[in-house]
Amino acid sequence: MGAGTHPVVWIGLDATEAMGLVGTGLLLARSDRRRVAVAPATAVLLAADAWFDVLTAGPGAERTAVLMAACLELPLAALCTAVAWSALRALPVMTVARGKDQGPAPTCRCISARWDFAKPRIPTSASPAPASLASHIRSRISTANHGRQ
């Protein structure tokens, strides 16, 4: 069940990997944030290709498949993962957009594009208590109901 069994599939996978590598390189050269999506997708394709190359290698082709995986596909997958990780860490921290009738935007940073698990996402002091949230919802409902009467 090697590459000779389904040549169109393997050619398509290799072409997709090549496009992913070229796209990642171009986005990296431009310092484009979209490499956060392209680089990990390319890494997954490369790792899957290495996996299936090794598992579907015919008799006598195992050594070549393992060498290709170890020397080319897996290092490129690791490089793409590093590119994606560094791009992800460089993304700015965002805040939640609020409607005009909801008051000023919160001072805390509610949504973070960074994966920094050492810091809490939403400080408990800035989060509304369940009781105040429930009273806020009740007041909104009663205000809406008074307008209908």
Side-chain angles (χ1 to χ4, degrees):
M1 199 176 129
T5 308
H6 303 288
V8 174
V9 174
W10 291 108
I11 291 169
L13 180 60
D14 290 340
T16 306
E17 290 170 1
M19 287 187 294
L21 288 169
V22 169
T24 299
L26 290 173
L27 293 172
L28 183 61
R30 291 189 216 163
S31 297
D32 193 322
R33 292 180 184 173
R34 290 175 289 183
R35 68 184 182 272
V36 140
V38 177
T42 305
V44 168
L45 286 171
L46 287 163
D49 188 21
W51 176 260
F52 286 113
D53 281 347
V54 170
L55 290 181
T56 62
E62 297 95 354
R63 180 180 291 179
T64 305
V66 169
L67 284 173
M68 286 274 297
C71 297
L72 183 67
E73 293 162 339
L74 294 178
L76 283 174
L79 181 64
C80 286
T81 302
V83 166
W85 184 256
S86 67
L88 184 66
R89 300 284 299 167
L91 286 177
V93 176
M94 299 175 284
T95 57
V96 173
R98 298 179 72 161
K100 292 179 183 177
D101 62 335
Q102 294 178 339
T107 56
C108 67
R109 295 179 180 184
C110 297
I111 298 174
S112 175
R114 297 181 183 196
W115 290 358
D116 189 2
F117 298 110
K119 299 177 185 175
R121 291 288 179 256
I122 301 174
T124 55
S125 62
S127 301
S132 64
L133 181 60
S135 65
H136 173 73
I137 292 171
R138 277 193 296 268
S139 69
R140 299 281 292 191
I141 291 171
S142 66
T143 304
N145 287 339
H146 288 301
R148 292 182 189 161
Q149 294 176 356

